[in-house]
Amino acid sequence: MPVQQKLAGKFIVIEGLEGAGKSTAIQYIQDWLISKGLSEQKIELTREPGGTVLAEKMRDIVKMDVDDEQLDDKAELLIMYAARVQLVEHKIKPALADNKVVIGDRHNWSSLAYQGGGRGIDLNLIRDIKQVALGDFKADFTLFLDIEPELGLSRARGRGELDRIERLAIDFFNRSRAVFQQLVADEPSAVCIDASQSFTDVETAIKQQLDTWLASL
Ligand code: Z5A
């Protein structure tokens, strides 16, 4: 089967802590897809939370600082899933049905890691919400960029001011990282990349993992 046909309708997700290099990695994935003969029109990029007009409004809410009212942890979780449903139903599924490859900057694992590991919400409750919101929909391949929170945050800090979530204590990110690590260990269609390496080494590792995945299709 031609490579382009193998890749048609596949959802590739990149996960990781802030500053892990997800935006950078997306560029490597795009380059790899183009090297396999895909046209730019056949590649759709998404980010979470966000990616549709309404989901971007929800992103604004979770990023917002309000003086005298805190966003409740469960409200934060539900907004993540509300935004995800909008994105999956209005952008990702139609693109996949059109035989595009979708590259997701974060997806479901971020809720398990941040709202579950970080905030301490029961992971089984989050899995139940996921099931109600999205059913069995999931990524075809997940690349987890693993980085120590200190290094990731120092990279993110280099870009400017930190937002509401980025200012949380380092323990929060260590707990989130531990959930990501468990998820990748349990999921055969996911791989872990050491994101503390140089740009070139991360790029090489990502492209090698994509080649191995492609060979398995
Ligand atoms: N969130 C949540 O809580 N629950 C959910 O379900 C979802 C999300 C979906 C989204 O923030 C926030 O929402 C996030 C989790 C939460 N909050 N936090 N904190 P966002 O989209 O604004 O931010 P992000 O997803 O964390 O992305 P980021 O901070 O932009 O990081 P990144 O995309 O992984 O990194 P980057 O922009 O590619 O790289 C960061 C810098 O490091 C940049 O200057 C690069 O040039 C540099 N870099 C990248 N790679 C390297 C290497 N290899 N060496 C050296 N420097 C590098």
Side-chain angles (χ1 to χ4, degrees):
M1 192 196 290
V3 172
Q4 293 95 317
Q5 220 169 306
K6 280 188 178 184
L7 290 168
K10 293 284 186 283
F11 180 31
I12 302 171
V13 168
I14 188 109
E15 293 273 15
L17 295 180
E18 10 296 310
K22 294 180 295 301
S23 315
T24 316
I26 283 166
Q27 190 56 55
Y28 302 148
I29 300 172
Q30 260 185 297
D31 294 347
W32 179 83
L33 288 169
I34 286 165
S35 77
K36 298 295 167 197
L38 264 83
S39 68
E40 281 183 28
Q41 291 71 34
K42 281 291 172 194
I43 304 170
E44 186 83 37
L45 305 183
T46 66
R47 69 166 182 182
E48 293 198 30
T52 73
V53 176
L54 292 177
E56 286 292 325
K57 302 269 180 218
M58 299 180 209
R59 179 186 179 90
D60 291 343
I61 295 174
V62 295
K63 293 232 165 203
M64 197 181 284
D65 274 312
V66 182
D67 281 345
D68 51 4
E69 182 182 343
Q70 277 223 326
L71 184 63
D72 187 85
D73 291 352
K74 284 189 184 155
E76 182 182 78
L77 172 69
L78 292 170
I79 294 170
M80 294 298 177
Y81 276 98
R84 187 162 297 133
V85 171
Q86 284 302 118
L87 179 67
V88 168
E89 298 300 335
H90 294 270
K91 195 160 178 186
I92 299 181
K93 282 186 181 172
L96 298 176
D98 195 20
N99 284 330
K100 291 184 178 175
V101 177
V102 178
I103 309 174
D105 183 345
R106 297 191 180 278
H107 188 56
N108 194 53
W109 284 14
S110 285
S111 297
L112 292 158
Y114 286 85
Q115 282 64 53
R119 301 281 192 213
I121 300 175
D122 184 350
L123 291 178
N124 287 326
L125 173 72
I126 301 179
R127 289 192 171 102
D128 287 348
I129 292 171
K130 187 265 169 188
Q131 205 55 36
V132 171
L134 299 174
D136 293 332
F137 182 82
K138 62 182 274 224
D140 293 292
F141 189 54
T142 302
L143 291 143
F144 165 55
L145 293 185
D146 191 28
I147 196 160
E148 285 187 7
E150 287 87 350
L151 179 54
L153 287 170
S154 76
R155 285 182 186 172
R157 228 172 258 126
R159 278 180 331 212
E161 249 181 61
L162 299 181
D163 68 26
R164 193 179 65 85
I165 299 178
E166 287 166 345
R167 287 196 304 272
L168 289 164
I170 213 78
D171 276 359
F172 173 95
F173 296 103
N174 278 317
R175 291 195 299 275
S176 305
R177 183 187 188 197
V179 171
F180 274 132
Q181 288 174 332
Q182 191 56 55
L183 289 166
V184 74
D186 291 345
E187 175 56 64
S189 65
V191 292
C192 181
I193 308 275
D194 176 1
S196 67
Q197 302 176 94
S198 67
F199 283 103
T200 316
D201 288 350
V202 172
E203 179 175 10
T204 304
I206 287 176
K207 290 183 176 171
Q208 274 173 356
Q209 292 291 355
L210 286 167
D211 279 329
T212 306
W213 170 63
L214 179 60
S216 75
L217 293 177

